[in-house]
Amino acid sequence: MIVCMYVCIYVFIYLVLPAKPENISCVFYYEENFTCTWSPEKEASYTWYKVKRTYSYGYKSDICPSDNSTRGNHTLCSFLPPTITNPDNYTIQVEAQNADGIIKSDITHWSLDAITKTEPPEIFSVKPVLGVKRMVQIKWIRPVLAPVSSTLKYTLRFKTVNSAYWMEVNFTKEDIDRDETYNLTGLQAFTEYVIALRCATKESMFWSGWSQEKMGTTEEEAPHGLDLWRVLRPATVDGRRLVQLMWKKASGAPVLEKALGYNIWYFPENSTNLTKTLNTTNEKLELYLGGKTYWVCVVSYNSLGESPVATLRIPAIDEKSFQCIEAMQACLTQDQLVVEWRSSAPEVDTWMVEWFPDLDSEPSTFSWESVSQATNWTIKQDELKPFWCYNISVYPVLQDRVGKPFSIQAYVREGIPSAGPVTQTDNIGVKTVTITWKEIPKSQRNGFITNYTIFYQAGDGKEFSKTVNSNILQYDLESLTRKTSYSLQVMASTSAGGINGTTINFKTLSISILEIFLITSLVGGGLLILIILSVAYGLKKPNRLKHLCWPDVPNPAESSIATWRGDDFKDKINLKESDDPVNMEEDRVLKPYSSPRDLIDKLVVNFENFLEDVSTEELGKGPDRICEEGEPNPYLKNSVTTREFLTSEKLPEQTKREV
């Protein structure tokens, strides 16, 4: 008994029955088949299914054919004609079976009218109706595989070409005509639309698939209207100013709308008799207006008529514009650029947003758009170019007056600059150098420059860097090494990355101009102090300074040798020779002289004294003779002549005798 219990428990644990079929769903494809599906869609073990049906309001029953998708884990089964009748009520039950046993689903009930699914209708034309504006007429063929006696309900969806958003209209058709029509109204004039259609029987929960899409265009009308804007240039010397007028189709105007031309007229305020009229086929015009307030009017026209008049007030040059925008910011959200601003004037509810690329040259085109009842503006990123900087300005508009704009710059996508800064060095010193670089052209920045980084190194030494703000274009490097070669480059960075500019080389000085100036100043200052001390000393003791600068030269005429006479001269010489008999032998020996000029001077002086004596004697004897000869000053004469004579003739002979 105990053994049998254990065996039963073991068998119970290891028997795995298939999952009970649930979520049974059936569809009646009109005049084609009746198909049911259920879950689970996949079993762990091999499972086959049996679908039991009752039909003819419960009087008949059958089983889905075994060769019709009920084998091998398939969870779909279809009943085929001729056993399908409509209207009728069915019951469906699904049995799942595997090697371990069978399990049955709950019985489900189905009304064929409620689950009938037809083919989609076929559209064969979408055309406007002559004389009827903003409407197209859709014609289609009723599905062949649809109950003839049943009322069909339809869903029509439509959109403009290139739009991603569909709009839908629901309606029913009770007649059983083969060809059906529907007039779609409330459309835009002269606009191309895409149309699609689906249908279902009135009682059914299942819609057909969508028909093939068909396109049609509404009738053309007179132009819808214009958006008018202006760019004011500064006044010239003569008080005139250039006004650039621009216009485009108003927002909401038909995509296909075309104008044949534009009529423009303008006049000073309160002086309509001075109106001037122009015509053009372009969407812009330049006017040279005076300093007064002007009104400008523009209309577009085609073969069906004219658009409403677009007017714009041009303020006087000296008119002060109001300002109400306090702050503005731009940010990127998914695939759009969003601009938001804050206003201090709640009465202003209209704004004009103007944007154009910030290029190195004057922009040739401007874009603008009017915003109402909002303080934000969005634009798709793919409508702006990546890596281009855009100037975005918002003008407040109050009735016919335009206030002061608030402007910002924005990128929809930033990148690394296309080129780095061009760098040069100035004021190279011993330990310092000034680095200057030029701004990257706007067309090559590819983003907002966030900072500049200076990289520099000496030879193969360690590299150093300095980072400065984007508004700095010059930097002084300090603490460099004297008389050393350096290489340097500047990197410009955006939020996407940076790029290096040109590499330059420079060498610091061995001595600075300041050091040269200090040395020169010290030497010059020392000399100046010496001169000042000398002058002060000279003023205090002038005789010593005179003796120092101009020493006294002895006058030979005042020498005592000039008083020697005859024997006295000889006695003096003999006395001198006898004064020192010990040194007589030494005197015979030739002694070196630094110069023979001392001996020459003595001989000259002696000879001059001799001439003076002779002159004195001759003066007493015959003064006339002396006057006739006209002797010059003996000192002046012999001071030159006798020196030359003694130097060239006497001196060598004397040298021989002494030797």
Side-chain angles (χ1 to χ4, degrees):
M1 185 69 178
I2 297 174
V3 174
C4 181
M5 187 186 313
Y6 280 119
V7 172
C8 292
I9 294 173
Y10 177 82
V11 172
F12 177 76
I13 293 174
Y14 284 92
L15 286 177
V16 180
L17 296 176
K20 180 181 179 180
E22 295 178 340
N23 300 322
I24 299 173
S25 176
C26 298
V27 178
F28 172 40
Y29 294 96
Y30 187 75
E31 293 189 356
E32 288 187 348
N33 61 68
F34 177 84
T35 300
C36 295
T37 60
W38 57 89
S39 63
E41 296 179 356
K42 188 174 183 181
E43 290 283 356
S45 61
Y46 186 85
T47 304
W48 60 94
Y49 298 91
K50 182 186 294 184
V51 180
K52 294 181 179 181
R53 174 184 68 155
T54 65
Y55 62 100
S56 295
Y57 297 97
Y59 290 102
K60 296 181 180 181
S61 64
D62 61 359
I63 298 174
C64 188
S66 59
D67 59 346
N68 193 8
S69 304
T70 58
R71 294 181 179 181
N73 289 343
H74 290 165
T75 58
L76 177 146
C77 185
S78 297
F79 295 89
L80 302 176
T83 60
I84 302 173
T85 59
N86 186 42
D88 202 348
N89 292 328
Y90 291 176
T91 64
I92 297 293
Q93 186 180 40
V94 180
E95 291 182 359
Q97 181 178 358
N98 63 9
D100 295 327
I102 299 174
I103 192 167
K104 297 181 179 181
S105 71
D106 297 332
I107 297 175
T108 57
H109 300 269
W110 303 95
S111 171
L112 294 189
D113 287 339
I115 59 174
T116 301
K117 187 171 185 177
T118 67
E119 286 184 335
E122 181 184 353
I123 301 175
F124 64 85
S125 72
V126 177
K127 294 180 179 179
V129 177
L130 184 63
V132 181
K133 306 298 184 183
R134 304 188 181 191
M135 187 192 81
V136 290
Q137 188 177 73
I138 300 100
K139 292 185 178 182
W140 70 93
I141 299 175
R142 181 185 174 96
V144 175
L145 297 180
V148 176
S149 60
S150 297
T151 299
L152 297 183
K153 56 185 178 182
Y154 292 89
T155 297
L156 186 150
R157 69 178 185 180
F158 62 97
K159 67 173 184 176
T160 59
V161 175
N162 300 324
S163 174
Y165 304 100
W166 290 92
M167 293 172 282
E168 293 185 353
V169 176
N170 295 312
F171 58 92
T172 59
K173 285 288 186 179
E174 296 184 358
D175 53 21
I176 57 174
D177 294 339
R178 177 71 172 156
D179 296 338
E180 304 280 2
T181 61
Y182 182 80
N183 294 328
L184 181 62
T185 59
L187 305 179
Q188 294 181 356
F190 204 38
T191 302
E192 191 173 24
Y193 286 89
V194 181
I195 307 293
L197 198 62
R198 69 178 181 178
C199 66
T201 60
K202 189 174 182 180
E203 301 84 4
S204 179
M205 67 177 72
F206 294 113
W207 288 90
S208 69
W210 289 103
S211 68
Q212 237 180 5
E213 295 177 353
K214 198 81 172 177
M215 291 189 294
T217 305
T218 54
E219 273 199 343
E220 185 179 8
E221 294 181 357
H224 182 74
L226 295 173
D227 285 339
L228 183 60
W229 188 236
R230 83 292 187 273
V231 175
L232 305 180
R233 299 299 184 184
T236 58
V237 178
D238 59 358
R240 295 169 61 81
R241 54 183 166 162
L242 174 63
V243 178
Q244 292 178 275
L245 291 177
M246 304 171 290
W247 55 86
K248 61 182 180 180
K249 290 187 294 185
S251 57
V255 177
L256 300 179
E257 179 183 283
K258 293 181 180 179
L260 298 178
Y262 305 92
N263 291 325
I264 304 99
W265 63 95
Y266 61 96
F267 52 89
E269 193 171 41
N270 301 324
S271 300
T272 55
N273 57 326
L274 300 177
T275 300
K276 294 184 178 181
T277 304
L278 299 171
N279 179 271
T280 182
T281 57
N282 299 321
E283 291 186 338
K284 58 184 178 180
L285 181 68
E286 292 185 351
L287 298 177
Y288 284 91
L289 303 179
K292 299 179 181 180
T293 300
Y294 278 81
W295 283 90
V296 178
C297 303
V298 182
V299 297
S300 61
Y301 60 88
N302 60 14
S303 58
L304 298 176
E306 290 185 345
S307 69
V309 179
T311 60
L312 187 66
R313 181 179 180 272
I314 308 299
I317 293 178
D318 56 355
E319 181 177 308
K320 293 184 179 180
S321 302
F322 68 94
Q323 186 172 6
C324 65
I325 301 178
E326 298 177 338
M328 187 163 68
Q329 65 176 4
C331 59
L332 296 173
T333 58
Q334 297 179 351
D335 61 343
Q336 291 183 329
L337 174 68
V338 180
V339 179
E340 299 177 333
W341 58 90
R342 185 174 69 250
S343 173
S344 60
E347 66 274 11
V348 177
D349 59 359
T350 303
W351 317 85
M352 189 65 76
V353 181
E354 176 189 88
W355 69 96
F356 58 89
D358 185 18
L359 304 176
D360 296 305
S361 58
E362 186 72 20
S364 57
T365 59
F366 294 80
S367 301
W368 75 98
E369 185 175 339
S370 179
V371 176
S372 298
Q373 308 296 326
T375 56
N376 60 75
W377 171 77
T378 60
I379 185 172
K380 292 183 178 179
Q381 291 188 27
D382 55 10
E383 296 183 31
L384 303 176
K385 293 185 178 181
F387 313 133
W388 279 35
C389 180
Y390 283 86
N391 291 323
I392 303 174
S393 301
V394 177
Y395 294 79
V397 180
L398 183 61
Q399 295 178 356
D400 57 10
R401 296 181 180 271
V402 179
K404 289 184 179 180
F406 197 105
S407 302
I408 60 172
Q409 292 185 321
Y411 285 87
V412 295
R413 182 182 173 188
E414 294 192 49
I416 299 173
S418 303
V422 177
T423 311
Q424 65 180 20
T425 57
D426 294 316
N427 304 327
I428 300 176
V430 175
K431 294 187 177 182
T432 61
V433 66
T434 300
I435 309 300
T436 58
W437 57 91
K438 296 181 180 179
E439 280 190 304
I440 301 174
K442 295 177 180 179
S443 59
Q444 297 180 342
R445 294 177 189 173
N446 300 337
F448 292 115
I449 302 298
T450 56
N451 57 65
Y452 294 99
T453 303
I454 305 166
F455 297 98
Y456 62 99
Q457 67 179 128
D460 297 330
K462 180 181 178 182
E463 186 178 63
F464 297 92
S465 64
K466 300 286 185 181
T467 301
V468 298
N469 294 331
S470 59
N471 60 341
I472 296 176
L473 300 175
Q474 177 176 306
Y475 189 78
D476 295 329
L477 292 179
E478 299 177 345
S479 302
L480 303 178
T481 305
R482 184 188 298 264
K483 200 178 180 180
T484 303
S485 297
Y486 285 87
S487 61
L488 178 145
Q489 57 185 175
V490 178
M491 179 178 73
S493 300
T494 65
S495 61
I499 187 171
N500 290 327
T502 55
T503 300
I504 60 173
N505 299 301
F506 66 93
K507 187 176 182 180
T508 54
L509 302 177
S510 58
I511 183 171
S512 67
I513 298 176
L514 179 60
E515 291 174 339
I516 295 174
F517 177 76
L518 289 176
I519 293 173
T520 305
S521 300
L522 290 175
V523 174
L527 292 175
L528 180 61
I529 292 172
L530 181 60
I531 292 172
I532 293 173
L533 292 176
S534 299
V535 171
Y537 180 78
L539 294 175
K540 187 175 181 181
K541 296 182 179 181
N543 293 330
R544 290 192 178 185
L545 182 62
K546 179 180 179 183
H547 179 71
L548 180 63
C549 297
W550 301 281
D552 294 335
V553 179
N555 188 353
E558 296 177 359
S559 176
S560 60
I561 194 172
T563 61
W564 296 353
R565 299 286 189 274
D567 295 336
D568 292 337
F569 181 75
K570 294 179 180 180
D571 292 340
K572 294 283 186 183
I573 295 176
N574 292 334
L575 179 60
K576 185 177 180 181
E577 292 176 354
S578 60
D579 285 342
D580 193 2
V582 179
N583 296 326
M584 292 178 63
E585 293 297 330
E586 295 179 2
D587 293 339
R588 295 177 183 175
V589 181
L590 181 63
K591 297 180 180 179
Y593 286 88
S594 60
S595 175
R597 293 189 179 275
D598 293 341
L599 179 60
I600 294 172
D601 291 338
K602 289 180 180 180
L603 293 175
V604 170
V605 172
N606 184 45
F607 186 70
E608 288 174 351
N609 291 334
F610 174 74
L611 290 178
E612 286 181 3
D613 292 341
V614 173
S615 298
T616 304
E617 293 177 358
E618 291 296 330
L619 183 60
K621 295 179 180 180
D624 297 336
R625 180 183 173 189
I626 296 174
C627 295
E628 290 176 1
E629 292 178 357
E631 283 290 328
N633 188 315
Y635 175 73
L636 296 176
K637 176 181 179 181
N638 292 311
S639 63
V640 177
T641 308
T642 308
R643 286 173 186 265
E644 293 178 356
F645 175 76
L646 291 174
T647 301
S648 60
E649 298 179 5
K650 297 297 182 178
L651 185 57
E653 295 178 0
Q654 181 182 5
T655 305
K656 286 182 180 181
R657 288 198 301 271
E658 291 178 354
V659 174

